[in-house]
Amino acid sequence: MNARKVSSQPPIPDSSRREPSLTIGVLGAGQLGRMMALAGYPLGLRFVFLDPAASAPAGSLAEHVVADYLDEQALERLSACDVVTYEFESVPVEAARRLAQKTQVFPPPDALAVAQDRLLEKECFRALGVPTAPFAPVSTREELASHVQELGLPAVLKTRRFGYDGKGQAVLRSEADLDAAFAELGAQPLLLEGFVPFERELSLLCVRGRDGKVAFYPLVENRHREGILRVTYAPADGIRDSLQATAERYAGQVLERLAYVGVLTIEFFLRDGELYANEMAPRVHNSGHFTIEGAETSQFENHLRAILGLPLGSTEVLEPCAMLNLVGDLPPREAVLAVPSAHLHFYDKAPRVGRKVGHITVRAATRAALDANVTRLLRLPGAG
Ligand code: AMP
């Protein structure tokens, strides 16, 4: 018998084996950054946030440089970080490019530039054969009139940049709407899109590592009200494997094309069993918040794993989940936590009309049990 020699001495700790401390620089310090930090601390990561808003939600958790995104000294501080990322896509691409000269920046600044501009984004989808609504760039009132002739009505007029939560867009239902919409939005470059009479809105969260490995979460369903995401169901109900496979094929092509590293979210319209890409977010996403308690690995952890070159975690969803945004108001903690398997996230933001100030995730073994919990939660102030 081969006896293994077992030393009675405990191994002498080798201080050189300590994992090096790693600091992540983050442009933006909103709730997405806050949740990223909360996911990163168990991995031994440190964070430095740059955001001009002194009261930004991540600021109470980590070092927060309060300065303009292009401030020289602030960028100097971030460039000392091991990796820089973004939690907000409207940061100047220039800041990301300057940082990329000194440290590693993921997702690549070129991907940020594409995702910031609805025209470049839609052209990227089109070039890859990913279906979208028909679209055309608009910069004058005359162009608007002629593209409305081509695309027909109803149509949606959007600013190419800086739109969020339904802001910076107008639905054109008749010719009579054109003047007012152009007067409101026309100071900026615009995009006209054909209106998609969709049945459901879905999103796909995906993640690509530095080694090119990819992982996808299941498609989720998003319900909006007044242009703001209110409830996400994960996984989306009744999605055929072939539809999931199509979404993954589309997203995989986008990830490759952009040489992407990190979490990317693509929002789709579902119409007659077909997916139409609406937009992409080069970051963790509101529709992925359910992954904190609802998936084997959260989107925040997977984003960090990806940008650090660590192995990606499983994207398996553990049980049917729903995520309810808390918009404009906060319910009492007791009322939320009294609901079985409800988890509460407050973002440390002052409630204001239309402002996302927190969210609730709820899980259940069956969709029927989940619906019962969601119905109960929807009665609370701010929920859904
Ligand atoms: P977006 O800012 O592009 O995500 O648009 C906000 C919301 O407006 C979407 O979630 C849809 O509900 C609606 N929407 C945007 N574009 C279109 C479109 N081309 N057709 C129909 N609805 C749209």
Side-chain angles (χ1 to χ4, degrees):
M1 204 167 109
N2 283 337
R4 221 157 40 97
K5 202 175 160 197
V6 179
S7 163
S8 57
Q9 297 284 327
I12 300 167
D14 174 1
S15 61
S16 67
R17 282 181 52 233
R18 215 175 103 172
E19 284 286 303
S21 81
L22 290 169
T23 305
I24 316 290
V26 188
L27 296 173
Q31 62 262 21
L32 299 174
R34 182 181 167 95
M35 288 183 267
M36 203 185 287
L38 290 169
Y41 288 139
L43 299 175
L45 306 178
R46 296 175 191 177
F47 291 83
V48 179
F49 290 92
L50 170 57
D51 194 309
S55 62
S60 50
L61 291 188
E63 181 180 335
H64 175 192
V65 181
V66 181
D68 187 85
Y69 289 115
L70 290 167
D71 181 272
E72 206 61 52
Q73 269 185 317
L75 291 179
E76 203 56 43
R77 174 68 191 100
L78 257 77
S79 64
C81 296
D82 297 282
V83 182
V84 168
T85 190
Y86 346 94
E87 63 91 59
F88 173 54
E89 78 240 44
S90 296
V91 294
V93 175
E94 172 65 16
R97 292 204 198 285
R98 272 157 62 179
L99 286 163
Q101 288 166 3
K102 299 200 171 156
T103 187
Q104 307 184 83
V105 177
F106 296 120
D110 286 348
L112 179 68
V114 170
Q116 278 186 355
D117 183 331
R118 290 183 190 275
L119 177 63
L120 299 184
E121 191 174 69
K122 289 250 156 47
E123 283 174 345
C124 172
F125 290 136
R126 180 184 273 172
L128 295 169
V130 178
T132 66
F135 61 91
V138 165
S139 46
T140 63
R141 177 67 180 78
E142 293 68 40
E143 278 176 4
L144 176 61
S146 77
H147 289 311
V148 162
Q149 288 301 318
E150 278 162 43
L151 302 188
L153 291 175
V156 188
L157 187 63
K158 303 179 176 180
T159 55
R160 278 174 55 177
R161 300 166 67 84
F162 305 125
Y164 71 99
D165 286 350
K167 293 188 176 63
Q169 59 179 273
V171 178
L172 310 176
R173 298 195 183 279
S174 74
E175 294 278 344
D177 295 333
L178 270 58
D179 277 334
F182 192 79
E184 187 195 334
L185 306 171
Q188 302 170 58
L190 303 173
L191 188 73
L192 183 71
E193 289 180 13
F195 187 88
V196 180
F198 57 81
E199 288 115 34
R200 299 160 78 188
E201 292 191 76
L202 306 176
S203 58
L204 185 76
L205 282 112
C206 43
V207 56
R208 185 168 184 270
R210 285 206 212 172
D211 58 1
K213 289 217 174 81
V214 294
F216 303 94
Y217 290 89
L219 281 162
V220 300
E221 175 163 358
N222 300 317
R223 307 248 174 107
H224 297 83
R225 187 157 43 83
E226 292 153 358
I228 301 175
L229 176 64
R230 305 291 170 151
V231 183
T232 295
Y233 288 94
D237 230 7
I239 298 295
R240 286 173 283 111
D241 288 351
S242 58
L243 195 76
Q244 177 74 27
T246 301
E248 292 184 8
R249 181 162 52 80
Y250 292 158
Q253 287 171 296
V254 175
L255 290 168
E256 282 288 321
R257 165 65 65 109
L258 299 176
Y260 201 87
V261 174
V263 167
L264 175 83
T265 310
I266 303 187
E267 295 182 33
F268 292 102
F269 300 133
L270 181 66
R271 186 195 176 202
D272 292 337
E274 301 290 335
L275 293 170
Y276 297 83
N278 178 36
E279 61 177 355
M280 61 173 115
R283 53 169 170 78
V284 289
H285 192 256
N286 194 171
S287 67
H289 291 357
F290 80 91
T291 59
I292 297 175
E293 292 93 5
E296 181 67 36
T297 316
S298 81
Q299 61 164 346
F300 301 98
E301 182 175 335
N302 255 337
H303 182 72
L304 293 168
R305 290 184 185 216
I307 64 175
L308 288 167
L310 295 169
L312 302 180
S314 162
T315 50
E316 191 189 338
V317 173
L318 306 172
E319 273 186 330
C321 298
M323 187 285 310
L324 294 85
N325 270 336
L326 297 171
V327 183
D329 205 354
L330 290 170
R333 291 185 179 90
E334 297 74 13
V336 176
L337 300 179
V339 175
S341 85
H343 298 269
L344 180 59
H345 298 254
F346 283 166
Y347 302 155
D348 199 11
K349 284 164 84 174
R352 203 196 301 140
V353 176
R355 192 179 204 203
K356 293 174 185 168
V357 285
H359 76 267
I360 301 167
T361 303
V362 63
R363 284 170 46 176
T366 63
R367 186 64 198 244
L370 183 69
D371 284 343
N373 286 342
V374 169
T375 304
R376 204 169 145 189
L377 289 163
L378 283 173
R379 292 192 200 108
L380 300 175

